[in-house]
Amino acid sequence: MQTTFQNLPDILLAHKLPWKMSALSRANTTQDSIYSIGSLLHQKNNFILTLQVAESMRAVSRQTLVHHDFPPVALAWSARSPVLAAAGCAVTLYTWCDAALCKKGTYTNRRAGTKAPPAPLTAVEFVPEYDARFATASVDTTCTVWNADARAIETQLIAHDTQVNDLSFAPSPFVFATAGADGSVRVFDLRDLARSTIVFDGNGARDAVLRVEWNKRDMHTVACLTCDGNCVHVVDVRGTASRVVNTLRGDCAYVNTIAWQGKDAVVVGDERGHVRIWNVDNRWGVKEFLMNEGVVKVECGGGAVGGVIAVGTSENVRILRDLA
């Protein structure tokens, strides 16, 4: 596979953070792009910083800061409305109003049938095509779908034998994939929860699946990465035998984050600061550049300047022109 190295990507914007980053999420509005960043402070008092980036993507037109209890492990903007979900010990919803985040409500779930305290959450994502429904993954082995308007749990299921590290919806409001510490990726359909399909199975706890990302432009393709691994697997969920259709292997650095850019490219960030843009069809191989610190999160999207990639490192956010 051909690899093209680019030491100096086209950086549209670089923003220094006042603390280490825990999470990053991007929203689109009619004019500006909005990036929300969670803090990683070893204390109860943490924050969500929101940057309103101008249409040119080269300047921050406004930034706001809200308090959040404990570091948010995941942030997710709704694709349909200006609502942000922040997951930690519970899920807090914020609305974007008057160029600032306004707290909408907090949603705490515990595993049904137990009296144990609510377990920490690991992921949150809005259900496609719905403004008020979101799903969470938890260390207590469950996934939970909430109706925010009714402030009620619609569905809760035991997704894995061990903790659920991540979840990602298909371009459908019914189908989603989960990443488990048991080393598997499973696909569920909310219309038939009596069964699930294992589409990736590693070597058990040795290869706990850390992240899963469904291609929002392809109903049949997901990407996943394992804990302490240096590769990303692309999986066809329709397969009946070996479902892994392609694997990107990097150097010895652990991969931390993945995101789809369009239908055919995966953006990968690792602990040594490498960002790789991988064409999964191998038409042009891999384009790679090096940041100066480990990559925590990547977010892809578009804007007036074309495709952009937001790279969140431990203490910086950089918005890059898409190199794909």
Side-chain angles (χ1 to χ4, degrees):
M1 182 183 298
Q2 180 184 0
T3 301
T4 303
F5 292 92
Q6 304 196 24
N7 294 323
L8 294 173
D10 186 3
I11 299 177
L12 301 174
L13 175 68
H15 187 84
K16 177 73 173 176
L17 300 175
W19 20 249
K20 292 186 181 298
M21 172 193 296
S22 66
L24 168 69
S25 184
R26 179 184 192 268
N28 285 319
T29 61
T30 54
Q31 293 182 337
D32 295 350
S33 292
I34 299 171
Y35 293 88
S36 291
I37 304 107
S39 67
L40 181 59
L41 299 172
H42 298 288
Q43 60 189 39
K44 180 179 180 180
N45 295 325
N46 273 260
F47 305 93
I48 298 174
L49 173 67
T50 300
L51 305 178
Q52 192 169 356
V53 180
E55 188 175 2
S56 67
M57 306 301 290
R58 293 190 179 274
V60 174
S61 58
R62 185 183 179 90
Q63 55 181 309
T64 60
L65 194 70
V66 296
H67 171 268
H68 189 271
D69 285 346
F70 302 104
V73 296
L75 297 171
W77 280 93
S78 169
R80 295 171 53 91
S81 59
V83 180
L84 174 71
C89 297
V91 172
T92 303
L93 295 188
Y94 300 89
T95 58
W96 183 253
C97 54
D98 298 326
L101 286 180
C102 303
K103 188 174 180 179
K104 183 178 181 180
T106 300
Y107 303 78
T108 303
N109 64 279
R110 57 170 48 87
R111 181 167 169 172
T114 70
K115 296 181 180 180
L121 302 174
T122 56
V124 62
E125 184 170 319
F126 281 92
V127 178
E129 302 179 18
Y130 288 89
D131 294 331
R133 297 176 70 203
F134 63 88
T136 62
S138 172
V139 301
D140 68 2
T141 76
T142 64
C143 289
T144 305
V145 179
W146 280 87
N147 184 314
D149 288 343
R151 297 192 63 83
I153 293 175
E154 290 188 345
T155 301
Q156 187 178 82
L157 63 135
I158 298 176
H160 292 262
D161 296 330
T162 54
Q163 76 179 46
V164 187
N165 291 324
D166 200 10
L167 63 79
S168 181
F169 271 86
S172 158
F174 306 109
V175 181
F176 65 96
T178 59
D182 57 6
S184 68
V185 173
R186 305 186 183 196
V187 171
F188 295 87
D189 190 323
L190 291 173
R191 297 164 295 188
D192 182 13
L193 290 175
R195 58 182 179 178
S196 63
T197 303
I198 298 176
V199 297
F200 176 85
D201 199 3
N203 295 320
R206 290 178 51 196
D207 287 331
V209 183
L210 183 64
R211 294 285 178 263
V212 62
E213 187 76 16
W214 205 303
N215 188 334
K216 304 305 184 189
R217 299 189 184 182
D218 187 341
M219 187 68 189
H220 308 298
T221 307
V222 301
C224 66
L225 63 91
T226 57
C227 183
D228 297 340
N230 66 337
C231 58
V232 175
H233 306 284
V234 174
V235 179
D236 187 335
V237 300
R238 299 170 296 179
T240 56
S242 176
R243 297 175 183 267
V244 177
V245 296
N246 216 331
T247 298
L248 169 67
R249 298 189 182 277
D251 54 22
C252 59
Y254 296 148
V255 175
N256 291 331
T257 179
I258 51 176
W260 286 95
Q261 177 67 314
K263 184 177 180 179
D264 301 320
V266 176
V267 182
V268 179
D270 69 28
E271 64 172 0
R272 292 189 177 179
H274 294 93
V275 176
R276 296 177 175 89
I277 306 174
W278 173 36
N279 179 262
V280 296
D281 292 333
N282 295 330
R283 289 199 306 270
W284 41 259
V286 178
K287 296 178 180 178
E288 176 177 341
F289 51 88
L290 181 64
M291 313 303 284
N292 59 6
E293 53 188 338
V295 178
V296 177
K297 179 72 173 175
V298 292
E299 284 279 321
C300 300
V305 298
V308 294
I309 301 170
V311 179
T313 57
S314 60
E315 296 181 353
N316 292 276
V317 174
R318 297 176 178 87
I319 299 177
L320 317 175
R321 194 184 302 276
D322 184 11
L323 300 176

Coordinates of all heavy atoms in Angstrom, one line a residue, residues 209-293:
V209 N -12.4 -4.4 22.1 CA -12.7 -3.4 21.0 C -13.0 -2.1 21.7 O -13.9 -2.0 22.5 CB -13.9 -3.9 20.2 CG1 -14.1 -2.8 19.0 CG2 -13.6 -5.2 19.6
L210 N -12.2 -1.1 21.4 CA -12.2 0.2 22.0 C -13.2 1.1 21.3 O -14.0 1.9 22.0 CB -10.8 0.8 22.0 CG -10.7 2.2 22.8 CD1 -11.0 2.0 24.2 CD2 -9.3 2.7 22.6
R211 N -13.2 1.1 20.0 CA -14.0 2.1 19.2 C -14.7 1.3 18.0 O -14.1 0.4 17.4 CB -13.2 3.2 18.7 CG -12.6 4.1 19.7 CD -13.7 5.0 20.3 NE -13.2 5.9 21.4 CZ -13.3 5.6 22.7 NH1 -13.9 4.5 23.1 NH2 -12.8 6.4 23.6
V212 N -15.9 1.8 17.7 CA -16.6 1.3 16.5 C -17.2 2.5 15.8 O -17.7 3.4 16.5 CB -17.6 0.2 16.8 CG1 -18.7 0.7 17.7 CG2 -18.2 -0.3 15.5
E213 N -17.1 2.6 14.5 CA -17.6 3.8 13.8 C -18.3 3.3 12.5 O -17.7 2.7 11.7 CB -16.5 4.7 13.4 CG -17.0 6.0 12.8 CD -17.6 7.0 13.8 OE1 -17.3 6.8 15.0 OE2 -18.3 8.0 13.4
W214 N -19.6 3.5 12.5 CA -20.4 3.1 11.3 C -20.3 4.1 10.2 O -20.3 5.4 10.5 CB -21.9 2.9 11.6 CG -22.6 1.9 10.7 CD1 -22.7 2.0 9.4 CD2 -23.2 0.7 11.1 NE1 -23.3 0.9 8.9 CE2 -23.7 0.1 9.9 CE3 -23.5 0.1 12.3 CZ2 -24.4 -1.1 9.9 CZ3 -24.2 -1.1 12.3 CH2 -24.7 -1.7 11.1
N215 N -20.1 3.7 9.0 CA -20.0 4.6 7.8 C -21.4 5.2 7.6 O -22.3 4.4 7.2 CB -19.5 3.9 6.6 CG -19.2 4.8 5.4 OD1 -19.8 5.9 5.3 ND2 -18.3 4.4 4.6
K216 N -21.6 6.5 7.8 CA -22.9 7.1 7.7 C -23.4 7.1 6.2 O -24.6 7.5 6.0 CB -22.9 8.5 8.3 CG -22.5 8.5 9.8 CD -23.3 7.6 10.7 CE -22.9 7.7 12.1 NZ -23.4 6.7 13.0
R217 N -22.5 6.8 5.3 CA -23.0 6.8 3.9 C -23.0 5.4 3.3 O -23.2 5.2 2.1 CB -22.0 7.6 3.0 CG -22.0 9.1 3.4 CD -21.2 9.9 2.5 NE -21.1 11.3 2.9 CZ -20.5 12.2 2.1 NH1 -19.9 11.9 1.0 NH2 -20.4 13.5 2.6
D218 N -22.9 4.4 4.2 CA -22.9 3.0 3.7 C -23.5 2.1 4.8 O -23.0 2.0 5.9 CB -21.5 2.5 3.4 CG -21.4 1.1 2.8 OD1 -22.4 0.4 2.9 OD2 -20.4 0.8 2.2
M219 N -24.7 1.5 4.5 CA -25.4 0.8 5.5 C -24.7 -0.5 5.9 O -25.0 -1.1 6.9 CB -26.8 0.4 4.9 CG -27.7 -0.3 5.8 SD -28.3 0.9 7.1 CE -29.2 -0.3 8.2
H220 N -23.7 -0.9 5.1 CA -23.1 -2.2 5.4 C -21.6 -2.2 5.9 O -21.0 -3.3 6.0 CB -23.1 -3.0 4.1 CG -24.5 -3.1 3.4 ND1 -25.6 -3.6 4.0 CD2 -24.9 -2.6 2.2 CE1 -26.6 -3.5 3.2 NE2 -26.2 -2.9 2.1
T221 N -21.1 -1.0 6.2 CA -19.7 -1.0 6.5 C -19.4 -0.3 7.9 O -19.9 0.8 8.1 CB -18.9 -0.2 5.4 OG1 -19.2 -0.8 4.2 CG2 -17.4 -0.4 5.7
V222 N -18.6 -0.9 8.7 CA -18.2 -0.3 10.0 C -16.7 -0.4 10.1 O -16.1 -1.3 9.4 CB -18.8 -1.0 11.2 CG1 -20.3 -0.9 11.2 CG2 -18.4 -2.4 11.4
A223 N -16.1 0.5 10.9 CA -14.6 0.4 11.2 C -14.5 0.2 12.7 O -15.3 0.8 13.4 CB -13.9 1.6 10.7
C224 N -13.5 -0.5 13.1 CA -13.3 -0.7 14.5 C -11.8 -0.8 14.8 O -11.0 -1.1 14.0 CB -14.0 -2.0 15.1 SG -13.4 -3.5 14.4
L225 N -11.5 -0.5 16.1 CA -10.1 -0.7 16.6 C -10.1 -1.3 17.9 O -11.0 -1.2 18.7 CB -9.4 0.7 16.6 CG -9.9 1.8 17.5 CD1 -9.2 1.7 18.9 CD2 -9.6 3.1 16.9
T226 N -9.1 -2.1 18.2 CA -9.0 -2.8 19.4 C -8.1 -2.1 20.4 O -7.2 -1.3 20.0 CB -8.4 -4.3 19.2 OG1 -7.2 -4.2 18.6 CG2 -9.4 -5.1 18.4
C227 N -8.2 -2.4 21.7 CA -7.4 -1.7 22.7 C -6.0 -2.2 22.6 O -5.7 -3.4 22.3 CB -8.0 -2.1 24.1 SG -7.1 -1.4 25.5
D228 N -5.1 -1.2 22.7 CA -3.6 -1.5 22.6 C -3.3 -2.1 21.3 O -2.4 -3.0 21.1 CB -3.2 -2.5 23.7 CG -3.4 -1.9 25.1 OD1 -3.4 -0.7 25.2 OD2 -3.4 -2.7 26.1
G229 N -3.9 -1.7 20.2 CA -3.7 -2.2 18.9 C -3.2 -1.1 18.0 O -3.4 0.1 18.2
N230 N -2.5 -1.4 16.9 CA -2.0 -0.4 15.9 C -2.7 -0.6 14.6 O -2.1 -0.1 13.6 CB -0.5 -0.6 15.8 CG -0.1 -1.9 15.1 OD1 -0.9 -2.9 15.2 ND2 1.1 -2.0 14.5
C231 N -3.8 -1.2 14.5 CA -4.5 -1.3 13.3 C -6.0 -1.0 13.4 O -6.6 -1.1 14.5 CB -4.3 -2.7 12.7 SG -4.8 -4.1 13.8
V232 N -6.6 -0.8 12.2 CA -8.0 -0.5 12.1 C -8.6 -1.5 11.2 O -8.1 -1.8 10.1 CB -8.3 0.9 11.6 CG1 -9.8 1.1 11.4 CG2 -7.8 1.9 12.6
H233 N -9.7 -2.1 11.6 CA -10.4 -3.2 10.7 C -11.7 -2.6 10.1 O -12.4 -1.9 10.8 CB -10.8 -4.4 11.6 CG -9.6 -5.0 12.3 ND1 -8.7 -5.8 11.7 CD2 -9.3 -4.9 13.6 CE1 -7.8 -6.1 12.6 NE2 -8.2 -5.6 13.8
V234 N -11.8 -2.8 8.8 CA -13.1 -2.4 8.1 C -13.9 -3.7 7.9 O -13.3 -4.7 7.4 CB -12.8 -1.7 6.8 CG1 -14.1 -1.5 6.0 CG2 -12.1 -0.4 7.0
V235 N -15.1 -3.7 8.3 CA -15.9 -4.9 8.4 C -17.2 -4.7 7.6 O -17.9 -3.6 7.6 CB -16.3 -5.2 9.9 CG1 -17.2 -6.4 9.9 CG2 -15.1 -5.3 10.7
D236 N -17.5 -5.7 6.8 CA -18.8 -5.7 6.0 C -19.8 -6.5 6.9 O -19.6 -7.7 7.1 CB -18.6 -6.4 4.7 CG -19.8 -6.3 3.8 OD1 -20.9 -6.2 4.3 OD2 -19.7 -6.4 2.6
V237 N -20.8 -5.9 7.4 CA -21.7 -6.5 8.3 C -22.6 -7.6 7.6 O -23.2 -8.4 8.3 CB -22.6 -5.5 9.0 CG1 -21.8 -4.5 9.8 CG2 -23.5 -4.8 8.0
R238 N -22.5 -7.7 6.3 CA -23.3 -8.7 5.6 C -22.6 -10.0 5.4 O -23.2 -11.0 5.0 CB -23.6 -8.2 4.2 CG -24.5 -6.9 4.1 CD -24.5 -6.4 2.7 NE -23.2 -6.0 2.2 CZ -23.0 -5.5 1.0 NH1 -24.0 -5.4 0.2 NH2 -21.7 -5.2 0.7
G239 N -21.3 -10.0 5.7 CA -20.5 -11.2 5.5 C -21.0 -12.4 6.3 O -21.5 -12.3 7.4
T240 N -20.7 -13.6 5.7 CA -21.2 -14.8 6.4 C -20.0 -15.6 6.9 O -20.1 -16.5 7.8 CB -22.0 -15.7 5.4 OG1 -21.2 -16.0 4.3 CG2 -23.3 -15.0 5.1
A241 N -18.8 -15.3 6.4 CA -17.6 -16.0 6.8 C -16.6 -15.0 7.5 O -16.9 -14.4 8.5 CB -16.9 -16.7 5.7
S242 N -15.5 -14.7 6.8 CA -14.6 -13.6 7.3 C -15.2 -12.3 6.9 O -15.3 -11.9 5.7 CB -13.2 -13.8 6.7 OG -12.4 -12.7 7.1
R243 N -15.7 -11.5 7.9 CA -16.3 -10.3 7.6 C -15.3 -9.1 7.5 O -15.7 -8.0 7.0 CB -17.3 -9.9 8.8 CG -18.4 -10.9 8.9 CD -19.3 -10.6 10.1 NE -20.3 -11.6 10.3 CZ -21.6 -11.5 9.8 NH1 -21.9 -10.5 9.1 NH2 -22.5 -12.5 10.1
V244 N -14.1 -9.3 7.9 CA -13.1 -8.2 7.8 C -12.7 -8.1 6.4 O -12.1 -9.0 5.8 CB -11.9 -8.4 8.7 CG1 -10.9 -7.3 8.5 CG2 -12.3 -8.5 10.2
V245 N -12.9 -7.0 5.7 CA -12.6 -6.8 4.3 C -11.3 -6.1 4.1 O -10.8 -6.1 3.0 CB -13.8 -6.1 3.6 CG1 -15.0 -7.0 3.6 CG2 -14.1 -4.8 4.1
N246 N -10.8 -5.4 5.1 CA -9.6 -4.7 4.9 C -9.0 -4.3 6.3 O -9.8 -4.1 7.2 CB -9.8 -3.4 4.1 CG -8.6 -3.1 3.2 OD1 -7.5 -3.5 3.5 ND2 -8.8 -2.4 2.1
T247 N -7.7 -4.2 6.4 CA -7.1 -3.8 7.7 C -6.0 -2.9 7.4 O -5.1 -3.1 6.5 CB -6.5 -5.1 8.4 OG1 -7.6 -6.0 8.7 CG2 -5.8 -4.7 9.7
L248 N -6.0 -1.7 8.1 CA -4.9 -0.8 8.0 C -4.0 -1.0 9.2 O -4.4 -0.9 10.3 CB -5.4 0.7 8.0 CG -4.4 1.8 8.2 CD1 -3.5 1.9 7.0 CD2 -5.1 3.1 8.4
R249 N -2.7 -1.2 8.9 CA -1.7 -1.4 10.0 C -0.8 -0.2 10.0 O -0.2 0.1 8.9 CB -1.0 -2.7 9.8 CG -1.9 -4.0 9.9 CD -1.1 -5.3 10.0 NE -2.0 -6.4 10.0 CZ -2.5 -6.9 11.1 NH1 -2.3 -6.3 12.3 NH2 -3.3 -7.9 11.1
G250 N -0.6 0.4 11.2 CA 0.4 1.4 11.3 C 1.7 0.9 11.8 O 2.0 -0.2 11.7
D251 N 2.4 1.8 12.5 CA 3.6 1.4 13.2 C 3.3 0.8 14.5 O 2.2 0.4 14.7 CB 4.6 2.6 13.2 CG 4.1 3.8 13.9 OD1 3.1 3.6 14.7 OD2 4.6 4.9 13.7
C252 N 4.2 0.9 15.5 CA 3.9 0.3 16.8 C 3.1 1.2 17.7 O 2.8 0.8 18.8 CB 5.2 -0.1 17.4 SG 6.3 1.3 17.7
A253 N 2.7 2.3 17.3 CA 1.9 3.2 18.1 C 0.4 2.8 18.2 O -0.1 2.3 17.2 CB 1.9 4.7 17.6
Y254 N -0.2 2.9 19.4 CA -1.6 2.5 19.6 C -2.5 3.6 18.9 O -2.3 4.8 19.1 CB -1.9 2.4 21.1 CG -1.1 1.3 21.8 CD1 -0.8 1.5 23.1 CD2 -0.7 0.2 21.2 CE1 -0.1 0.5 23.8 CE2 0.0 -0.8 21.8 CZ 0.3 -0.6 23.2 OH 1.0 -1.6 23.8
V255 N -3.5 3.1 18.3 CA -4.5 3.9 17.6 C -5.6 4.3 18.7 O -6.1 3.5 19.4 CB -5.2 3.2 16.5 CG1 -6.3 4.0 15.9 CG2 -4.2 2.9 15.4
N256 N -5.9 5.6 18.8 CA -6.8 6.1 19.7 C -8.2 6.4 19.2 O -9.2 6.4 19.9 CB -6.3 7.4 20.4 CG -5.1 7.1 21.3 OD1 -5.0 6.1 21.9 ND2 -4.2 8.1 21.4
T257 N -8.3 6.8 17.9 CA -9.5 7.4 17.4 C -9.6 7.1 15.9 O -8.6 7.0 15.2 CB -9.6 8.9 17.7 OG1 -10.8 9.4 17.1 CG2 -8.4 9.6 17.1
I258 N -10.9 7.0 15.4 CA -11.2 6.8 14.0 C -12.4 7.6 13.6 O -13.3 7.9 14.5 CB -11.4 5.3 13.6 CG1 -12.5 4.7 14.6 CG2 -10.2 4.5 13.6 CD1 -12.9 3.3 14.3
A259 N -12.5 8.0 12.3 CA -13.7 8.7 11.8 C -13.7 8.5 10.3 O -12.7 8.4 9.7 CB -13.6 10.2 12.2
W260 N -14.9 8.4 9.8 CA -15.1 8.3 8.4 C -15.2 9.7 7.7 O -15.8 10.6 8.3 CB -16.4 7.6 8.0 CG -16.4 6.1 8.3 CD1 -16.8 5.4 9.4 CD2 -15.9 5.1 7.4 NE1 -16.6 4.1 9.3 CE2 -16.1 3.8 8.0 CE3 -15.4 5.1 6.1 CZ2 -15.7 2.6 7.4 CZ3 -15.1 3.9 5.5 CH2 -15.2 2.7 6.1
Q261 N -14.5 9.8 6.6 CA -14.5 11.0 5.8 C -15.1 10.6 4.5 O -14.4 10.0 3.7 CB -13.1 11.7 5.7 CG -13.1 12.9 4.8 CD -13.9 14.1 5.4 OE1 -15.0 13.9 5.8 NE2 -13.3 15.3 5.3
G262 N -16.4 11.0 4.3 CA -17.0 10.6 3.1 C -17.3 9.1 3.1 O -17.4 8.5 4.2
K263 N -17.5 8.4 2.0 CA -17.8 7.0 1.9 C -16.6 6.1 1.9 O -16.7 5.0 2.4 CB -18.7 6.8 0.7 CG -19.2 5.3 0.6 CD -20.1 5.1 -0.6 CE -20.6 3.7 -0.6 NZ -21.5 3.4 -1.8
D264 N -15.5 6.6 1.4 CA -14.4 5.6 1.1 C -13.1 5.9 1.9 O -12.1 5.2 1.7 CB -14.0 5.7 -0.4 CG -15.2 5.3 -1.2 OD1 -15.9 4.4 -0.9 OD2 -15.4 6.0 -2.3
A265 N -13.1 6.8 2.8 CA -11.8 7.1 3.6 C -12.1 7.1 5.1 O -13.1 7.6 5.6 CB -11.3 8.5 3.1
V266 N -11.1 6.6 5.8 CA -11.1 6.5 7.2 C -9.9 7.4 7.7 O -8.8 7.2 7.2 CB -10.9 5.1 7.8 CG1 -10.9 5.1 9.3 CG2 -12.1 4.3 7.3
V267 N -10.2 8.3 8.7 CA -9.1 9.1 9.3 C -8.8 8.4 10.6 O -9.7 8.1 11.5 CB -9.6 10.5 9.5 CG1 -8.4 11.4 10.1 CG2 -10.0 11.1 8.2
V268 N -7.5 8.2 10.9 CA -7.0 7.5 12.0 C -6.0 8.3 12.8 O -5.1 8.9 12.2 CB -6.3 6.1 11.6 CG1 -5.8 5.4 12.8 CG2 -7.3 5.3 10.8
G269 N -6.1 8.4 14.1 CA -5.1 9.1 14.9 C -4.5 8.2 16.0 O -5.3 7.4 16.6
D270 N -3.2 8.3 16.2 CA -2.6 7.5 17.2 C -1.9 8.2 18.3 O -1.8 9.5 18.3 CB -1.7 6.4 16.5 CG -0.4 7.0 16.0 OD1 0.1 8.1 16.4 OD2 0.2 6.5 15.0
E271 N -1.4 7.5 19.3 CA -0.8 8.1 20.5 C 0.5 8.9 20.2 O 0.9 9.7 21.0 CB -0.5 7.0 21.5 CG 0.5 6.0 21.1 CD 0.9 5.0 22.2 OE1 0.4 5.2 23.3 OE2 1.7 4.1 22.0
R272 N 1.2 8.6 19.1 CA 2.4 9.3 18.7 C 2.2 10.5 17.9 O 3.1 11.1 17.4 CB 3.4 8.3 18.1 CG 3.9 7.3 19.0 CD 5.0 6.5 18.4 NE 5.6 5.5 19.3 CZ 6.6 4.6 19.0 NH1 7.1 4.7 17.8 NH2 7.0 3.8 19.9
G273 N 0.9 10.8 17.6 CA 0.6 12.0 16.8 C 0.5 11.8 15.3 O 0.4 12.8 14.6
H274 N 0.5 10.6 14.9 CA 0.3 10.3 13.4 C -1.2 10.4 13.1 O -2.0 9.9 13.8 CB 0.8 8.9 13.0 CG 2.3 8.8 13.2 ND1 2.9 8.3 14.3 CD2 3.3 9.0 12.3 CE1 4.2 8.2 14.1 NE2 4.5 8.7 12.9
V275 N -1.5 11.1 12.0 CA -2.9 11.1 11.5 C -2.8 10.6 10.1 O -2.0 11.0 9.2 CB -3.4 12.6 11.4 CG1 -4.8 12.6 10.8 CG2 -3.5 13.2 12.8
R276 N -3.5 9.5 9.8 CA -3.5 8.8 8.5 C -4.9 8.9 7.9 O -5.9 8.7 8.6 CB -3.1 7.4 8.7 CG -1.7 7.2 9.2 CD -1.4 5.7 9.4 NE 0.0 5.5 9.8 CZ 0.4 5.5 11.1 NH1 -0.4 5.7 12.1 NH2 1.7 5.3 11.3
I277 N -4.9 9.3 6.6 CA -6.2 9.3 5.9 C -6.1 8.1 4.9 O -5.2 8.1 4.0 CB -6.4 10.6 5.1 CG1 -6.3 11.8 6.1 CG2 -7.7 10.6 4.4 CD1 -6.3 13.1 5.4
W278 N -6.9 7.1 5.1 CA -6.8 5.8 4.5 C -7.9 5.6 3.5 O -9.1 5.6 3.9 CB -6.7 4.7 5.5 CG -6.8 3.3 5.0 CD1 -6.2 2.8 3.9 CD2 -7.4 2.2 5.7 NE1 -6.4 1.5 3.8 CE2 -7.2 1.1 4.9 CE3 -8.2 2.1 6.9 CZ2 -7.7 -0.2 5.2 CZ3 -8.7 0.8 7.2 CH2 -8.4 -0.3 6.4
N279 N -7.6 5.4 2.3 CA -8.7 5.0 1.3 C -8.9 3.5 1.4 O -8.0 2.8 1.0 CB -8.2 5.5 -0.1 CG -9.3 5.1 -1.1 OD1 -9.1 4.1 -1.8 ND2 -10.3 5.9 -1.3
V280 N -10.0 3.1 1.8 CA -10.3 1.7 2.1 C -10.3 0.9 0.8 O -10.2 -0.4 0.9 CB -11.5 1.5 2.9 CG1 -11.4 2.2 4.3 CG2 -12.8 2.1 2.2
D281 N -10.5 1.5 -0.3 CA -10.5 0.8 -1.6 C -9.1 0.7 -2.2 O -8.9 0.2 -3.3 CB -11.5 1.4 -2.6 CG -12.9 1.3 -2.2 OD1 -13.2 0.3 -1.5 OD2 -13.7 2.2 -2.5
N282 N -8.1 1.3 -1.5 CA -6.7 1.3 -1.9 C -6.5 2.0 -3.3 O -5.5 1.7 -4.0 CB -6.2 -0.2 -2.0 CG -6.2 -0.8 -0.6 OD1 -6.0 -0.2 0.4 ND2 -6.4 -2.1 -0.6
R283 N -7.4 2.9 -3.6 CA -7.2 3.6 -4.9 C -5.9 4.5 -4.8 O -5.2 4.7 -5.8 CB -8.4 4.4 -5.2 CG -9.6 3.6 -5.7 CD -10.6 4.4 -6.4 NE -11.0 5.6 -5.7 CZ -12.0 5.7 -4.9 NH1 -12.7 4.6 -4.6 NH2 -12.3 6.8 -4.2
W284 N -5.8 5.2 -3.6 CA -4.6 6.0 -3.5 C -3.8 5.7 -2.2 O -3.0 6.5 -1.7 CB -4.9 7.5 -3.6 CG -6.2 8.0 -3.0 CD1 -7.4 8.2 -3.5 CD2 -6.3 8.3 -1.6 NE1 -8.3 8.6 -2.6 CE2 -7.7 8.7 -1.4 CE3 -5.5 8.2 -0.4 CZ2 -8.2 9.1 -0.2 CZ3 -6.0 8.6 0.8 CH2 -7.4 9.0 0.9
G285 N -4.1 4.6 -1.5 CA -3.3 4.2 -0.4 C -3.6 5.1 0.9 O -4.7 5.4 1.2
V286 N -2.5 5.5 1.5 CA -2.6 6.2 2.8 C -1.8 7.6 2.7 O -0.7 7.6 2.1 CB -2.0 5.4 3.9 CG1 -2.0 6.2 5.2 CG2 -2.7 4.1 4.1
K287 N -2.5 8.6 3.1 CA -1.8 9.9 3.3 C -1.6 10.1 4.8 O -2.5 9.9 5.6 CB -2.6 11.0 2.7 CG -2.7 10.9 1.1 CD -3.6 12.0 0.6 CE -3.7 11.8 -0.9 NZ -4.6 12.9 -1.6
E288 N -0.4 10.6 5.1 CA 0.0 10.6 6.6 C 0.7 11.9 6.9 O 1.5 12.4 6.1 CB 0.9 9.4 6.9 CG 1.4 9.4 8.3 CD 2.2 8.2 8.7 OE1 2.0 7.2 7.9 OE2 2.9 8.2 9.6
F289 N 0.4 12.5 8.0 CA 1.2 13.6 8.5 C 1.3 13.4 10.0 O 0.6 12.7 10.7 CB 0.6 14.9 8.2 CG -0.8 15.1 8.5 CD1 -1.3 15.5 9.7 CD2 -1.8 14.8 7.5 CE1 -2.6 15.7 10.0 CE2 -3.2 14.9 7.8 CZ -3.6 15.4 9.0
L290 N 2.3 14.2 10.6 CA 2.6 14.0 12.0 C 2.3 15.3 12.8 O 2.8 16.4 12.5 CB 4.1 13.7 12.1 CG 4.7 13.5 13.6 CD1 4.0 12.2 14.2 CD2 6.2 13.3 13.5
M291 N 1.5 15.1 13.9 CA 1.3 16.2 14.8 C 2.4 16.2 15.9 O 3.2 15.2 15.9 CB -0.1 16.1 15.5 CG -1.2 15.8 14.5 SD -1.4 17.0 13.2 CE -2.2 18.4 14.1
N292 N 2.5 17.1 16.7 CA 3.5 17.2 17.7 C 3.1 16.6 19.1 O 3.9 16.7 20.0 CB 4.1 18.6 17.9 CG 3.0 19.5 18.4 OD1 1.9 19.1 18.7 ND2 3.3 20.8 18.5
E293 N 2.0 16.0 19.1 CA 1.5 15.3 20.4 C 0.5 14.3 20.0 O -0.1 14.3 18.9 CB 1.0 16.3 21.4 CG -0.1 17.2 20.8 CD -0.5 18.3 21.8 OE1 -0.2 18.2 23.0 OE2 -1.0 19.3 21.3

